[in-house]
Amino acid sequence: WARAVRGLLLDVSGVLYDSGGDGGVPIAGSVEAVRRIKASGLKLQFCTNETQATREKFVKKLQGLGFDISVAEVTAPAPAACRLLKERGLRPHLLVHNDLVPEFAEIDKANPNCVVIGDAAENFTYANLNEAFRVLIGMEKPVLISLGKGRYYKETDGLKLDVGAYMKALEYACDVEAEVVGKPAKMFFESALAEMGVPAEQAIMIGDDIVSDVGGAQQCGMRALQVRTGKYRPCDENHPQVKPDAYVNNLAEAVDIILQQL
């Protein structure tokens, strides 16, 4: 699985670092692993479903943790959602984290004709969910756009419910199917590959989410590895639908193996 690789897509939370209220902590060996990838000449793109901050703020945090990363190297859901909203003339009611709102500064939000939901964290109150429900249920043809569909993620103090759980609640209440912008959507991975300039068959995705990272990447024709860090749980190795091309203990181990094949 490690042969003929020209580019790597890296998930961020759970692969590079564990997030948390204190800013998070790098996973052992990950800062050096990113440095080694860049020194090797391999193409690199960070492919994240992070929706609790703008890309600029997110990248600044990662730089503060020691990572060599720039905004241009990050493929994230909010910019993709903004492109979709503009193309289709949609005006969103936002149910997102306060720190993500600036990403939508240039989008018309008056008289909403859709709902955009992201990982709103503490903003996932009954009142806010109910407001989003009322906007959707009042439409003849409800449009719900979700910035990912993850079930949970890991922070330094444990596992946390992700946007997918709240997306499902609104789907059920409004009898609507959400349009997912972010992993595991095929269009999202294709966008990341295009930004990196590498075809799917010459790229490897490395992530901690068996469905969104591994399954999504494999559906695009990529090889995909699951790390045993972040949200990984031993039961992932018996997943009924998704089988990674390999399991690795962490990003550093994956990079060791890949660089030996160059």
Side-chain angles (χ1 to χ4, degrees), residues 220-234:
C220 288
M222 277 185 271
R223 287 160 281 177
L225 312 183
Q226 187 177 20
V227 290
R228 295 187 177 101
T229 55
K231 69 191 290 185
Y232 162 85
R233 297 167 72 207

Side-chain angles (χ1 to χ4, degrees), residues 100-200:
L100 191 70
V101 172
E103 289 273 21
F104 297 88
E106 296 180 11
I107 301 294
D108 182 5
K109 295 177 278 291
N111 189 24
N113 58 2
C114 72
V115 168
V116 172
I117 182 173
D119 180 12
E122 284 74 18
N123 281 353
F124 278 136
T125 62
Y126 175 80
N128 287 345
L129 275 166
N130 199 53
E131 188 179 0
F133 158 74
R134 285 177 168 175
V135 171
L136 285 169
I137 207 72
M139 297 177 193
E140 187 177 340
K141 292 183 179 178
V143 177
L144 174 60
I145 297 168
S146 187
L147 306 179
K149 60 184 288 189
R151 293 176 297 163
Y152 54 85
Y153 56 94
K154 185 186 178 191
E155 289 199 336
T156 49
D157 61 348
L159 297 177
K160 302 287 180 75
L161 277 177
D162 204 350
V163 62
Y166 302 95
M167 177 195 86
K168 286 293 182 184
L170 290 174
E171 282 186 331
Y172 177 66
C174 301
D175 194 21
V176 62
E177 184 175 347
E179 300 176 46
V180 178
V181 179
K183 298 177 292 186
K186 189 174 183 180
M187 189 182 299
F188 190 71
F189 280 107
E190 288 172 346
S191 175
L193 286 167
E195 288 170 28
M196 187 167 65
V198 173

Side-chain angles (χ1 to χ4, degrees), residues 189-243:
F189 280 107
E190 288 172 346
S191 175
L193 286 167
E195 288 170 28
M196 187 167 65
V198 173
E201 62 272 14
Q202 295 179 346
I204 292 179
M205 173 73 196
I206 303 175
D208 67 331
D209 188 309
I210 187 74
V211 174
S212 291
D213 295 330
V214 176
Q218 288 177 333
Q219 286 182 355
C220 288
M222 277 185 271
R223 287 160 281 177
L225 312 183
Q226 187 177 20
V227 290
R228 295 187 177 101
T229 55
K231 69 191 290 185
Y232 162 85
R233 297 167 72 207
C235 63
D236 291 345
E237 301 200 20
N238 300 312
H239 195 278
Q241 279 91 40
V242 183
K243 304 292 178 196

